[in-house]
Structures are given as structure tokens and as C-alpha cells.
Amino acid sequence: MNKERKLIIAGNWKMNKTAAEGLDLVRGLKIELASVKEVDIVVCPPFTALSAVSKAVLDSNLRLGAQNMSEHNVGAYTGEIAAVMLKEFSVRYVILGHSERRQYQKEPDALIAKKAQAAYAASLKPIVCVGETLAEREAGQTQKVLETQVRGSLAGATKEQMAETVVAYEPVWAIGTGKTATTAQAQEAHAFIRSLLVRMFDETVARRARIQYGGSVKPANARELMSQPDVDGALVGGASLEVRSFADIIKNSI
Ligand code: PEP
């Protein structure tokens, strides 16, 4: 597939996989995906598997991401993990503002923006997640919600920082539900986000920015989704937990 921007496909393992299970998964992915050069491939294990997985991906085309991090650099924040701690395990990307964290941990846009700043300061690339709920879509609020989340989560980001950022459009109603946005719905939302980036930054920044789609991506729908002009990759939950399905999503996207 000839794309304007290099595809980035990331697996969000969520709270799945012990270190040993994670190792099994990446060993399989390394074999299946060894020859893939057209896609930036990222795996995002839980914190407890980062050490084992980081060693396993060292000599491969797999890159490592984390699922969250603190907005603080150090100190009395029990249970939190700082960017510098992620860097110790050669983590390159960090998912910020996933809808599950927005929902269960009540993470607001302003906090996500602070985490993004801490990520940039540590040379980590944030994958900033945005997306509307079903009620918001049905009320015709999709673009308003996306604009609030994108502006709020990227508040204070410079053009240079935006160049290091991936945006993940994840309609909440499509996450883990088996309901995928139609290609038209995905393209429309992605084009809207890109137009927003033009207004927030400039044409060049917006044209270069990678916008992933997330929400029940599977081998069977990956090709069609990735063929949309403004869809530059995928953030994959459930289907990233098996070698076969994650590898096939990537192969079907090329
Ligand atoms: C996700 O959690 O980012 C996600 C897209 O999950 P799933 O692929 O399972 O819908």
C-alpha cells in the first residue's frame, strides 16, 4: 500500500500478559514480522513485562511502548511510573489518555497534556488517544468532542513536539465491542483531526502527523481501514494479544 506517511501499528496489551507470556508473544511476532520494513511496529506491554520484552525486541524491528506514565518526574507519588523509568527499558512510545484511563481514572485533557510534556522532555513519543462515546456521536457531538480533546490534550505542544506525537482516534463505542467504525466514519474523523492540526499548528505539521485508528481492528478489516488517505496506522487492543492476529493485521496493511 502506497501511503503518504509511514504506517504505525501498535499493540496495546492492556492488563494482559505476564512477563513470561509477553516474551512468548514477542518471540512469535519477531519471527512472523522479521521482514516487515513498511510499518513501524510497536508493542505496549504492562509495566511489569517491559524489562523482559525490552531485551527480546533489542535485535528486531519491534519497538517498545508503555501504556501510561506519570506527569511527574520523581517523588512521593505511590504507584506511579516516571518517564525516566520507562527510558531505562528503551521505551520509545507511551500511550496517553486512553479512553479506559479517561473513564476509570477520570483523566482529564489537562492532565494528559502535562503527561505529554513530561514525555517530550524525556524524548518519549506520546500516542495521544481521543474519541467520542456512542451517546456523543448520536447527539451529533463527535467533532466538538474531538476538538476539545485534541486541543486540551495537546495544549502547550510546539510544532517540534507535535512532530514527535501520534494521535490515536479511538471511538469509545468501537473499543473491545467488536463494532468497528466504517471506513467512511474513520476517514471523516481522521480528516477532521488533521484539519484541526492545521488550525493548531500548520499545514506541514498536519500533513506529517500520523493518526492511528483504534477500535476492534482485526485482520479482516485492517486493509480497508488502512487504505483510507488519513488513516496512518492502528492502535490494536484485543487482536494484539495473539501472534497470528497481530501479525496478520500488519501484513494485511502493507
Ligand atoms: C484499544 O484498547 O486501544 C483498542 C482499540 O481495543 P480493541 O482493539 O480491543 O477494540
Side-chain angles (χ1 to χ4, degrees), residues 63-66 86-87 89-94 123-126:
R63 297 287 170 265
L64 197 55
L86 300 178
K87 293 288 288 183
F89 298 110
S90 309
V91 169
R92 307 227 187 156
Y93 296 86
V94 59
S123 302
L124 286 172
K125 297 176 193 294

Side-chain angles (χ1 to χ4, degrees), residues 5 9 21 36 47 70 73 76 92 96 101 104 110 125 128 158 163-164 173 182 196-197 211 213 216 225 242 250:
R5 294 160 288 272
I9 300 185
E21 291 166 347
V36 175
F47 293 134
S70 172
N73 293 329
R92 307 227 187 156
L96 297 180
R101 296 200 63 82
Y104 304 134
K125 297 176 193 294
V128 174
T158 63
E164 302 299 314
W173 48 272
T182 63
L196 190 52
L197 296 178
I211 307 174
Y213 170 78
S216 299
L225 284 163
E242 302 286 340
I250 290 161

Side-chain angles (χ1 to χ4, degrees), residues 92-153:
R92 307 227 187 156
Y93 296 86
V94 59
I95 299 172
L96 297 180
H98 190 278
S99 63
E100 286 150 16
R101 296 200 63 82
R102 289 178 184 266
Q103 185 184 352
Y104 304 134
Q105 275 76 34
K106 304 278 178 265
E107 288 197 0
D109 292 323
L111 175 64
I112 297 160
K114 281 188 189 160
K115 291 186 180 198
Q117 287 302 321
Y120 299 131
S123 302
L124 286 172
K125 297 176 193 294
I127 298 177
V128 174
C129 302
V130 296
E132 81 287 359
T133 63
L134 187 57
E136 289 163 343
R137 175 164 281 269
E138 285 174 350
Q141 302 284 301
T142 300
Q143 294 194 347
K144 185 166 164 271
V145 170
L146 293 180
E147 177 148 5
T148 302
Q149 291 183 346
V150 171
R151 285 190 184 278
S153 306

Side-chain angles (χ1 to χ4, degrees), residues 12 14 98 100 170 174-178 214-217 235-239:
N12 172 15
K14 310 193 187 192
H98 190 278
E100 286 150 16
E170 299 207 303
I175 296 180
T177 58
S216 299
V217 176
L235 184 54
V236 184

